[in-house]
Amino acid sequence: MTTSTPPTPTASAKNPEQINPPGGTERRPIGQVLRSQLQQSLAFATLVVLIIFFSISSSSFFTVSNISGILLSTAVIGILAVGTTFVIITGGIDLSIGTGMTLCAVMTGVFITDMGLPLVVGVIGGIATGALMGLINGLNITFLGLPPFIATLAMMLIAQGLALVISGVAPIYFAEQAFKDIALGTLIPGLPNAVLILFACAIVAYVVLSKTILGRYTFAIGSNEEATRLSGVNTRKWTILIYTVAGIFTGIAGVVIAARLGSAQPQLGTGYELQAIAAVIIGGTSLLGGRGSILGTLIGALIMSVLINGLRILSIQTEWQNVVVGIVILVAVFTDSLRRRREA
Amino acid sequence: MKNARKMSVLATAAIAVVALAGCAQGGSAGSGGDAGSGDKPYIAMISKGFQHQFWQAVKQGAEERAEELGVEITFEGPASETEVDAQLQMLQAAIDKSPDAIAYAALDPEACIPLIDAAGAAEIPVVQFDAGCDSDVPLSIAKTDSLGAGALAADHMAELIGEEGEVAIVGHSQINSTGVERRDGFVEQMEAEYPDIEIVDIQYGDGDHLKSADIAKAMIAAHPDLKGIYGTNEGSAVGVVNALTELGMNGDDLTVIGFDSGKAQMDAITNGLMAGAITQNPIGIGAETVQAAYDAINGDTPEEVIDTGYFFYDAENMKDEEIAAVLYE
């Protein structure tokens, strides 16, 4: 993905022309916004249809307690998905977020339970673990020139192994209620804090992606990395930063899952990355990069959890639940590519 | 120069391999009862996993007995209990090492047949634990009678809810034999003995705490009159308990019967969130497996099925010596 060849004189000579594509991406957001809004409205319509369908099918679905349950079950996958949206917009992929989340949870447990450090330190330590993993992913991708798929696949295995080794293949329990309240306390009555954390993460990510230079370069790298680099942007630096940001969200997800379970379960996490990636894709972010949104990801994550919860409420067999979720992913990505082909 | 050295290293290695293979051949084909003399007998244990605490307890039991008997063991298993293929590769690697015996817990009763038959052809004695392979080669299996254990869970559930009403099951697998038998034992017992109890839903959470909690919450939402939930392994059962906590419910609102132990489950039982659970004897499974392998190496025939037992435990009897011995944190 990243070519490490320094710009040759010819390339430099081409530079004035090459500036255009990134310039184009700067102007493109209007088109992008329109397109992603269309995808979002499609996704949003799907979400509404699902909610209406399940509400009609079962009186148990649209209740305060069940909706609160759906939101809570969206929290962990949703936070992972929000973080990995950045990576996917750059045209990359992060497979390490599932087991990485588990390693962050384990490290939080080590800091708080094993070392007896204050909660705040443990939480920050857990999030820092995620940031460090993201940083290493970024370095491996940019400086070693590894494809993101391979670099993060390796990190996925390393994180899984380390989580088991560090925990001694046993769960680490949190004794303090204050820690569990991070996920299950209710600052707003009836709404678990984990849901507030998800929304806070989404808002911060939205602002970063749409209002900051980091966000702009995320789209630029995804649209045309080479052109972005040739126009004088240090794409390596920004790529590293983007993976680190994704790592921070992985760390937050790790703290939230540990708080919700009251323990760090070292064997969990495998497969969570694929659910998060699915949520991102359903939300209209393109795996090819250059296009995507946080709102879409949030809707995508909600579609997944509404669908799964609804099928469970209707007592559909677990095997068929997977089939239905798989079909929804297919349809979502297919309609997206169909529309893009029409537009092109 | 460099090449010459490489060649010499290779040659030495080749000689070593041939020599070792010769030794191993001699060990398994030659006189059996020589545990005390020379090299320790080696038993390769291939488990269904190692991450779950249950397997850690099996490993502990195996290591303790191996120490007593003076045998050497290795204990390995795939990262998750769905990785049938990875487990078969481990089994293949174990056979290639020509151990004195192989102890195996089948993830899939069919897929293992060719390899287990190959072990038989190589005259390596095979004993099994937890779940068997559909082959004639294995001499014995040390396991829990999972159907009986599921039925025991059903009896206690029925008693606790007054022998009538709706119950549901959060299972951990619809494929592997423990998941299937713990479920079927429960279902069959309910159908046979308790006509007024209806099993309204069975879903599977892969033993994932989070998934199992979300499943239990959906069940509780869908079936307001639900009186009890049975979780078929530690992750499933703890997930159900988490669901109760998250919904602000307790053991009076819903009767939860779990399976296996682990600190979270034992705490839930102490706190009254969970009525009780079935425990197996994982340390016993490990110990009996190594014993059976040791007997086989020494030319004795181990018992075909070694039932290592199961118990129901609750807040009352948790501290009893017999129960406490088989529980693990």
Side-chain angles (χ1 to χ4, degrees):
Chain A
M1 287 261 156
T2 321
T3 43
S4 49
T5 25
T8 58
T10 14
S12 311
K14 275 188 195 155
N15 237 358
E17 282 170 16
Q18 293 278 14
I19 288 175
N20 277 339
T25 53
E26 299 231 347
R27 260 182 278 119
R28 201 182 287 175
I30 303 162
Q32 259 170 14
V33 165
L34 281 178
R35 259 190 281 165
S36 71
Q37 269 177 355
L38 184 64
Q39 169 68 18
Q40 269 162 35
S41 56
L42 262 180
F44 189 69
T46 311
L47 181 60
V48 172
V49 167
L50 283 175
I51 291 173
I52 292 173
F53 172 76
F54 286 125
S55 303
I56 294 170
S57 306
S58 167
S59 59
S60 317
F61 179 79
F62 205 77
T63 62
V64 175
S65 142
N66 193 49
I67 295 297
S68 158
I70 290 173
L71 290 171
L72 179 59
S73 71
T74 315
V76 170
I77 295 292
I79 295 168
L80 289 176
V82 162
T84 210
T85 302
F86 284 86
V87 167
I88 294 179
I89 292 176
T90 66
I93 193 98
D94 192 344
L95 299 177
S96 66
I97 53 177
T99 58
M101 166 195 84
T102 303
L103 179 59
C104 295
V106 166
M107 288 310 293
T108 308
V110 167
F111 292 134
I112 294 174
T113 303
D114 296 353
M115 297 168 70
L117 297 172
L119 287 189
V120 186
V121 180
V123 168
I124 292 173
I127 296 172
T129 306
L132 182 66
M133 277 188 293
L135 177 71
I136 295 171
N137 280 336
L139 290 171
N140 287 342
I141 289 162
T142 54
F143 284 96
L144 298 188
L146 298 178
F149 187 93
I150 300 299
T152 59
L153 178 73
M155 183 57 76
M156 169 178 119
L157 295 169
I158 292 169
Q160 185 181 33
L162 284 180
L164 290 168
V165 170
I166 292 171
S167 64
V169 205
I172 304 175
Y173 294 94
F174 297 93
E176 289 172 77
Q177 187 57 37
F179 182 75
K180 298 174 191 166
D181 283 347
I182 292 174
L184 297 176
T186 46
L187 287 177
I188 298 175
L191 198 65
N193 290 346
V195 180
L196 298 183
I197 295 174
L198 168 64
F199 288 147
C201 283
I203 291 168
V204 170
Y206 173 79
V207 171
V208 170
L209 198 56
S210 57
K211 308 282 184 223
T212 69
I213 192 160
L214 175 70
R216 221 162 49 227
Y217 286 150
T218 304
F219 282 107
I221 291 171
S223 299
N224 190 336
E225 178 168 3
E226 188 62 10
T228 310
R229 188 175 67 79
L230 290 175
S231 69
V233 176
N234 186 345
T235 52
R236 279 186 174 180
K237 184 183 93 180
W238 291 104
T239 303
I240 293 168
L241 201 58
I242 289 161
Y243 277 89
T244 310
V245 166
I248 290 172
F249 285 103
T250 305
I252 296 171
V255 171
V256 170
I257 194 171
R260 185 173 171 197
L261 299 176
S263 59
Q265 298 287 340
Q267 83 284 8
L268 284 191
T270 317
Y272 283 54
E273 68 284 343
L274 295 181
Q275 283 188 56
I277 292 168
V280 175
I281 302 304
I282 292 175
T285 297
S286 166
L287 263 183
L288 300 173
R291 205 165 55 87
S293 77
I294 296 297
L295 185 60
T297 294
L298 204 54
I299 294 171
L302 282 169
I303 287 178
M304 299 260 294
S305 48
V306 163
L307 195 57
I308 293 171
N309 173 275
L311 294 170
R312 282 175 184 159
I313 293 251
L314 297 181
S315 299
I316 307 288
Q317 284 177 11
T318 315
E319 301 87 314
W320 285 107
Q321 292 174 13
N322 292 342
V323 174
V324 173
V325 174
I327 290 172
V328 166
I329 294 173
L330 276 183
V331 170
V333 178
F334 177 67
T335 50
D336 186 40
S337 70
L338 206 64
R339 205 190 54 247
R340 236 174 328 144
R341 239 178 288 161
R342 246 201 331 260
E343 280 169 7
Chain B
M1 257 296 271
K2 224 175 182 185
N3 269 341
R5 193 182 305 164
K6 250 188 208 164
M7 285 301 290
S8 71
V9 170
L10 275 176
T12 319
I15 293 165
V17 167
V18 171
L20 280 175
C23 277
Q25 212 77 44
S28 61
S31 61
D34 58 354
S37 67
D39 290 337
K40 282 182 175 180
Y42 165 56
I43 303 164
M45 293 185 78
I46 310 293
S47 160
K48 284 182 177 176
F50 65 97
Q51 301 184 14
H52 203 284
Q53 292 189 79
F54 178 80
W55 298 117
Q56 290 287 309
V58 171
K59 185 180 172 198
Q60 185 196 330
E63 281 170 347
E64 285 168 5
R65 183 62 61 91
E67 179 85 38
E68 282 171 38
L69 298 173
V71 298
E72 202 179 311
I73 64 163
T74 50
F75 189 98
E76 56 181 344
S80 89
E81 294 189 20
T82 52
E83 293 178 23
V84 176
D85 187 50
Q87 199 206 27
L88 293 179
Q89 284 170 28
M90 290 175 180
L91 181 57
Q92 178 68 60
I95 294 169
D96 292 344
K97 283 190 279 186
S98 301
D100 294 295
I102 286 176
Y104 180 61
L107 273 179
D108 184 304
E110 301 283 334
C112 50
I113 295 172
L115 286 178
I116 291 294
D117 287 350
E123 291 181 17
I124 302 169
V126 177
V127 298
Q128 304 181 105
F129 58 108
D130 191 64
C133 180
D134 291 344
S135 157
D136 296 329
V137 171
L139 301 165
S140 76
I141 181 163
K143 65 166 189 174
T144 307
D145 170 11
S146 296
L147 280 169
L152 182 65
D155 287 337
H156 283 276
M157 176 68 87
E159 185 195 322
L160 288 162
I161 64 172
E163 301 198 4
E164 59 171 358
E166 298 180 344
V167 298
I169 303 174
V170 177
H172 68 280
S173 170
Q174 63 267 61
I175 298 161
N176 81 36
S177 61
T178 58
V180 170
E181 287 174 9
R182 287 176 202 173
R183 176 199 68 199
D184 289 350
F186 185 90
V187 172
E188 283 161 16
Q189 184 74 356
M190 284 297 186
E191 282 169 357
E193 301 290 329
Y194 309 101
D196 295 330
I197 292 179
E198 190 192 352
I199 298 171
V200 291
D201 204 356
I202 303 176
Q203 301 208 26
Y204 304 88
D206 303 333
D208 178 320
H209 296 63
L210 207 58
K211 229 194 235 184
S212 303
D214 288 332
I215 288 175
K217 284 166 86 171
M219 284 174 165
I220 293 166
H223 305 283
D225 297 328
L226 198 65
K227 282 184 151 177
I229 298 182
Y230 163 49
T232 63
N233 78 347
E234 192 236 344
S236 315
V238 173
V240 176
V241 168
N242 286 348
L244 289 196
T245 319
E246 290 176 8
L247 293 170
M249 298 166 76
N250 61 41
D252 298 331
D253 304 311
L254 193 84
T255 302
V256 183
I257 305 275
F259 213 106
D260 289 338
S261 33
K263 184 173 183 297
Q265 195 160 208
M266 288 154 75
D267 283 351
I269 291 172
T270 314
N271 300 337
L273 279 164
M274 189 184 279
I278 307 292
T279 176
Q280 312 177 68
N281 181 1
I283 295 173
I285 291 178
E288 292 299 336
T289 305
V290 170
Q291 183 69 52
Y294 178 81
D295 292 347
I297 292 169
N298 290 320
D300 299 333
T301 316
E303 227 177 300
E304 209 170 309
V305 177
I306 305 159
D307 183 358
T308 47
Y310 53 86
F311 311 90
F312 178 81
Y313 69 101
D314 56 17
E316 303 255 307
N317 71 356
M318 232 167 107
K319 298 276 187 287
D320 293 359
E321 211 173 304
E322 187 190 35
I323 299 292
V326 295
L327 297 180
Y328 53 93
E329 295 228 321

